[in-house]
Amino acid sequence: MKLYPLKFKPIFKYRIWGGEKLKTELNKNYDEKNVGESWEISNVSGDETLVFDGVLKGNSLKDLIDQFKGDFVGTAVYKKFGNEFPLLIKFIDAKTPLSIQVHPNNKVAKERHNSFGKNEMWYVMQADKDAELIVGFEEKMTKEDYKNHLENNTILNVMHHENVNEGDAFYIPTGRVHAIGAGVMLAEIQQTSNITYRIYDYNRIDVKTGKKRDLHNDLAIDVIDFNLYKNYKINYNLDKNISNKLVHTPYFRTNILDINSTIKKDYSEIDSFIIYICVRGSMDLISEGIKYSVKLGETLLLPASIKKVQLKSKSAKILEVYF
């Protein structure tokens, strides 16, 4: 059986803060209310996405790795992760703000949860007027200062609030306190992990449970980075029809392509799968003479064994993600 570019069937997640944009803006198909997340490519236990079509329809990422090994994920990726898939790709729609939260690093997550840590990045696809993200602190902070702000319900006053627009991108390393604000829809690229420490949640009640959501301040306090940083937003170039570097880390690499032509891509030097996330417009990928369309709000995974493709669009912005 031969590998080909793969789409997966998304998994939709109810969230207390979720809205309708995944349906109205990205044409996702679901009936539930308050869907806040579309998990596009996931190997999280219990939430494994399955191949959408073709002869491999119904296969999970684990199935594909078991069957194709390095041909699917890349030889180096397979040696490092075995049958685990290292990345989780989501679209997120925040109608109301997410909790203020933080994620542990690989070491802590392994010790406490037998999980990867959760380094992640955001690419803003749409933002309402005056919508914002919360990233890091606005002033120098000690552990004691932080505890006082938590006890006094003033933690929001010392967080860095940043108004955002389409195209803004942020890297959220483990330890950085953060939250997506109301009115923001974004693409999220992260390590395969579902470990979140919630530190503040606006004292709100979840209508599904009738209760406040749990906070994890005892766990969070040891992993928070209290340092102050000058800039949290990523500055990047957006030259036409080439891969522009967005975020390159030990956990994933993301480029952005602004395409208005036909371009040839040769991935011979990259020993990894490639994931394309369409964040504006639409694109056709041509592999061995077969055309695969990627529309706004869709993802496509190119197995590592496929090295040469063409990307064709009149107008598209594509995130290009690999390990």
Side-chain angles (χ1 to χ4, degrees), residues 55-293:
V55 294
L56 292 169
K57 181 178 179 178
N59 278 262
S60 68
L61 290 160
K62 264 198 175 75
D63 295 334
L64 294 166
I65 296 169
D66 283 344
Q67 189 172 349
F68 297 104
K69 300 181 171 56
D71 284 345
F72 178 56
V73 291
T75 303
V77 176
Y78 184 70
K79 279 182 181 172
K80 184 164 187 176
F81 295 102
N83 69 351
E84 297 296 325
F85 191 78
L87 301 183
L88 171 57
I89 308 295
K90 301 176 183 176
F91 294 116
I92 296 178
D93 166 31
K95 185 176 182 178
T96 57
L98 275 68
S99 62
I100 309 295
Q101 57 190 243
V102 69
H103 306 302
N105 61 26
N106 279 347
K107 182 173 182 293
V108 173
K110 180 71 175 170
E111 288 169 358
R112 292 180 181 174
H113 313 284
N114 195 30
S115 169
F116 293 125
K118 193 173 174 185
N119 289 273
E120 62 190 21
M121 69 156 285
W122 295 332
Y123 178 90
V124 177
M125 296 172 68
Q126 188 272 337
D128 296 349
K129 188 175 185 295
D130 299 325
E132 63 180 25
L133 299 174
I134 292 174
V135 188
F137 293 105
E138 189 63 33
E139 56 187 64
K140 198 157 177 56
M141 186 78 44
T142 66
K143 199 177 273 194
E144 289 310 309
D145 293 333
Y146 168 79
K147 284 180 179 177
N148 288 335
H149 282 295
L150 268 187
E151 286 169 15
N152 296 323
N153 260 354
T154 54
I155 191 70
L156 286 172
N157 299 345
V158 293
M159 304 301 300
H160 173 72
H161 299 248
E162 184 141 0
N163 285 95
V164 292
N165 297 292
E166 180 190 343
D168 288 346
F170 295 81
Y171 179 51
I172 313 293
T174 55
R176 183 163 296 170
V177 176
H178 61 279
I180 302 170
V184 178
M185 182 178 70
L186 54 76
E188 181 175 271
I189 296 143
Q190 59 159 94
Q191 290 177 273
T192 293
S193 170
N194 202 24
I195 309 299
T196 294
Y197 297 157
R198 207 178 289 127
I199 62 181
Y200 179 77
D201 197 33
Y202 305 90
N203 295 309
R204 58 189 163 186
I205 304 291
D206 188 335
V207 292
K208 280 209 170 181
T209 64
K211 299 176 183 176
K212 293 180 183 178
R213 298 193 296 172
D214 291 339
L215 300 180
H216 313 100
N217 282 306
D218 290 346
L219 293 169
I221 192 76
D222 295 331
V223 305
I224 292 172
D225 178 3
F226 291 104
N227 291 312
L228 191 63
Y229 296 91
K230 283 184 180 176
N231 190 31
Y232 293 99
K233 188 162 74 171
I234 296 160
N235 293 314
Y236 64 92
N237 296 323
L238 195 58
D239 296 328
K240 294 281 187 187
N241 301 313
I242 65 166
S243 295
N244 298 276
K245 178 182 173 183
L246 201 53
V247 175
H248 284 198
T249 75
Y251 313 103
F252 53 80
R253 290 176 281 180
T254 303
N255 302 319
I256 185 166
L257 295 102
D258 187 3
I259 305 173
N260 66 354
S261 181
T262 300
I263 59 176
K264 293 181 179 179
K265 296 292 290 184
D266 185 341
Y267 293 111
S268 300
E269 301 301 311
I270 296 175
D271 186 12
S272 169
F273 57 88
I274 311 287
I275 295 171
Y276 301 101
I277 307 169
C278 185
V279 292
R280 180 176 258 254
S282 62
M283 171 187 86
D284 290 330
L285 177 144
I286 296 101
S287 173
E288 298 187 342
I290 300 171
K291 184 169 73 175
Y292 302 84
S293 67

